[in-house]
Amino acid sequence: MRTTAAAQESGAKPTPARAKIRWGVVRRFLGHLRPYRRQVILGLSLIPVSVTFAVLFPWMIMHIIDNQLVPMQSEGLLFWCLALAGVLLGNFLADAVFNFSLQCAAQYAIRDIRAEMFNRVLHFPRRYFDKTPMGVTLTRLTSDLEAISESFTQGLLSMIRDVLITVALLVFLLFISWQLTLVLLLIGPLIYYITEILRRRLRDTYLRARVVLSQGTGYLQECLSGIKTVQLYNAEAAVQQRYAGYTEGFREAQSKSNLYDSALYSIIEGITTVSMGLIIWYGSKEILAATISLGVLVGFINTLDKIFVPIRDFTSQMASIQRAFAAFDHIEEIYDEETEHESSDGAQYLSAAQRGQLDTFASLEFIDVRFRYNADGPWVLKGVSFCLNKGSKIALVGSTGSGKSTILRLLTKTYVNYEGSIKLNGIELSRIPKAEVGKFFSLMQQEVFLFNESIAFN
């Protein structure tokens, strides 16, 4: 059973560098929204409606208190109450359509990205699968994409609207009472400073969790693929201990991120309560001094609560957003990897005469071939030479790891960075396109893999 380098030590904890947002894959996601721009435009067009309703509600409350309740004026009260109910209903409908349309567009985009990533993986060169555990790739295609889907459909898109609503409400607060607004703005830097510190810690812990999860998934896939070998050598206890190390590492990273998430939400909630107390205390003094009216204070408190709701929501959404950006880092690796169509195998233009030499197989010759998988790794092949002519047979015999499979990988151009010379019909193998080489070689694996499909498919 193949074992990854990351799984050599039980419970080894990854030490990733500080995560950086990979804006390339973010732009790629936004590009996938383009075919569904109608839904996006519909959702974004409702933002001004939501902003208008958000400002109208506290203004109407202020008007009702100062012009209807305080002077005990019942005329027109029913109209204003019905208008207030209409604003609430309109705000509800605008928010519902906004969320539904943008979530539909985001889900379609995630579907397209999933199909695109799977298509890229299908065309990865075989050397990618030699160095990358299947479980790691599986994590990229499943849980990492789900993290992005959760964030964009529940967090980031709604934040655009919430930011605009918050700005509009702050302008409204300045309009009705700049003194109370200045008291509120004094705590703004504190909120920003605390949020920024905990945001960075959340991002690092989520990146660590994604790394451990991918390593654990990779090791799990290897163990299940090689379950016969594990049972044959009675290695269940050792395998279980090593896998327990990965699950414990993931638990530690998740617990730390939950701690930061809870601390952030609790701190913002505490600041909200203190701010409310300060505004009520200061506003009450202003009412007694006849500087502001009761309606202004009630409208200000109502607006203040609406401002802090997006802030509290932002802290609760911070977890999913940071999880998504950590997943962006991993998904970008899929796009960074070259497919067989994109990578160059060193092939050169062949003349008509040379192409004629490749019509049928004539000879294959290895001349002092040397090869190693890594530039600083050990030599797998050292001075291999042999000649195979048409009609003859050759057998490569040796112990495990002696280089038999490596020779086949060189023949099929899975790897091309060899030293020495490999000639097919007298033409250097590195000059021949991989598609042409594939006409001469077929490979029968020792172990047959059967798909869960029909006999005809297999």
Side-chain angles (χ1 to χ4, degrees):
M1 180 179 62
R2 180 173 62 86
T3 306
T4 64
Q8 292 300 316
E9 297 182 7
S10 175
K13 296 180 181 180
T15 55
R18 182 176 294 277
K20 295 182 180 179
I21 298 175
R22 305 289 291 275
W23 291 110
V25 74
V26 177
R27 288 192 296 268
R28 186 174 288 111
F29 173 82
L30 296 177
H32 280 83
L33 286 174
R34 192 172 296 113
Y36 315 106
R37 52 185 174 272
R38 290 184 178 179
Q39 292 92 325
V40 175
I41 292 174
L42 173 61
L44 296 180
S45 65
L46 291 172
I47 291 180
V49 179
S50 297
V51 172
T52 302
F53 284 146
V55 174
L56 272 178
F57 185 79
W59 178 83
M60 295 177 69
I61 289 180
M62 184 176 63
H63 178 85
I64 291 174
I65 292 176
D66 285 343
N67 296 281
Q68 305 292 147
L69 299 182
V70 172
M72 305 295 290
Q73 177 62 258
S74 61
E75 184 179 354
L77 180 60
L78 179 60
F79 168 78
W80 284 105
C81 290
L82 291 176
L84 192 64
V87 168
L88 286 174
L89 179 61
N91 194 22
F92 167 77
L93 292 176
D95 289 347
V97 176
F98 169 85
N99 289 323
F100 179 76
S101 59
L102 290 183
Q103 285 185 19
C104 284
Q107 290 294 344
Y108 278 123
I110 290 294
R111 180 201 63 181
D112 294 345
I113 292 177
R114 182 178 285 111
E116 182 181 74
M117 289 178 59
F118 183 62
N119 182 64
R120 286 188 64 83
V121 171
L122 289 178
H123 293 89
F124 278 172
R126 277 170 286 182
R127 59 178 177 272
Y128 168 85
F129 300 102
D130 289 339
K131 65 181 182 181
T132 307
M134 286 294 180
V136 173
T137 305
L138 184 63
T139 302
R140 303 288 185 267
L141 296 173
T142 53
S143 63
D144 284 337
L145 269 178
E146 287 302 320
I148 294 176
S149 174
E150 175 187 352
S151 172
F152 272 85
T153 56
Q154 298 180 8
L156 199 57
L157 295 174
S158 297
M159 284 176 57
I160 300 174
R161 178 198 57 189
D162 292 343
V163 168
L164 294 176
I165 290 177
T166 302
V167 172
L169 291 176
L170 282 174
V171 173
F172 174 71
L173 292 182
L174 282 170
F175 176 75
I176 64 174
S177 176
W178 63 269
Q179 299 96 330
L180 293 177
T181 306
L182 289 179
V183 175
L184 172 64
L185 292 178
L186 289 176
I187 64 173
L190 176 63
I191 295 177
Y192 173 79
Y193 183 73
I194 294 174
T195 302
E196 183 64 17
I197 292 177
L198 293 180
R199 181 192 67 81
R200 293 179 179 179
R201 293 179 180 267
L202 268 172
R203 180 162 171 75
D204 289 342
T205 54
Y206 273 120
L207 178 63
R208 188 182 303 275
R210 305 308 297 181
V211 171
V212 178
L213 177 63
S214 62
Q215 290 180 346
T217 305
Y219 186 68
L220 176 63
Q221 185 271 334
E222 290 180 348
C223 292
L224 294 179
S225 298
I227 187 64
K228 295 179 181 179
T229 305
V230 172
Q231 295 175 342
L232 179 65
Y233 289 94
N234 296 323
E236 293 91 342
V239 167
Q240 171 61 29
Q241 181 181 1
R242 184 171 295 176
Y243 184 67
Y246 290 115
T247 57
E248 176 63 19
F250 181 71
R251 185 201 63 79
E252 291 178 359
Q254 284 290 91
S255 297
K256 186 172 292 186
S257 63
N258 291 336
L259 174 64
Y260 291 141
D261 185 28
S262 301
L264 182 59
Y265 185 86
S266 300
I267 291 173
I268 297 300
E269 186 71 23
I271 292 176
T272 303
T273 305
V274 173
S275 301
M276 287 286 190
L278 286 175
I279 294 299
I280 293 174
W281 169 75
Y282 185 82
S284 299
K285 291 177 57 179
E286 295 296 308
I287 290 176
L288 295 176
T291 306
I292 63 174
S293 65
L294 177 62
V296 168
L297 178 60
V298 174
F300 196 98
I301 293 174
N302 181 270
T303 306
L304 183 63
D305 184 64
K306 289 183 178 298
I307 288 177
F308 276 107
V309 166
I311 295 177
R312 288 195 298 265
D313 291 343
F314 174 75
T315 58
S316 64
Q317 294 163 357
M318 182 76 72
S320 64
I321 293 171
Q322 295 305 315
R323 190 183 304 118
F325 279 124
F328 272 137
D329 291 330
H330 291 165
I331 287 177
E332 185 69 1
E333 296 173 6
I334 297 292
Y335 289 99
D336 287 342
E337 187 73 29
E338 288 186 334
T339 65
E340 290 185 333
H341 302 307
E342 298 168 343
S343 60
S344 172
D345 59 3
Q348 302 175 16
Y349 176 77
L350 299 178
S351 64
Q354 290 173 324
R355 291 186 179 276
Q357 290 180 244
L358 297 175
D359 288 341
T360 59
F361 176 79
S363 65
L364 172 67
E365 188 175 8
F366 272 57
I367 304 173
D368 193 28
V369 174
R370 298 168 60 85
F371 175 79
R372 54 185 173 184
Y373 287 99
N374 299 312
D376 56 349
W379 291 99
V380 181
L381 301 178
K382 292 180 283 189
V384 175
S385 299
F386 63 86
C387 182
L388 177 64
N389 295 313
K390 182 178 180 179
S392 61
K393 298 179 181 178
I394 191 171
L396 302 177
V397 181
S399 59
T400 301
S402 60
K404 303 183 300 296
S405 299
T406 301
I407 290 177
L408 293 178
R409 290 189 175 100
L410 294 181
L411 284 177
T412 56
K413 301 199 74 172
T414 301
Y415 291 91
V416 296
N417 54 324
Y418 60 87
E419 298 181 13
S421 178
I422 303 177
K423 293 186 176 181
L424 178 62
N425 291 1
I427 304 174
E428 186 63 38
L429 187 68
S430 61
R431 299 187 59 196
I432 307 174
K434 189 173 183 179
E436 295 292 329
V437 174
K439 297 189 301 183
F440 293 97
F441 302 105
S442 61
L443 181 63
M444 177 62 70
Q445 297 284 358
Q446 185 174 356
E447 295 183 3
V448 177
F449 184 85
L450 295 178
F451 292 90
N452 188 24
E453 294 283 352
S454 64
I455 295 178
F457 180 87
N458 280 280

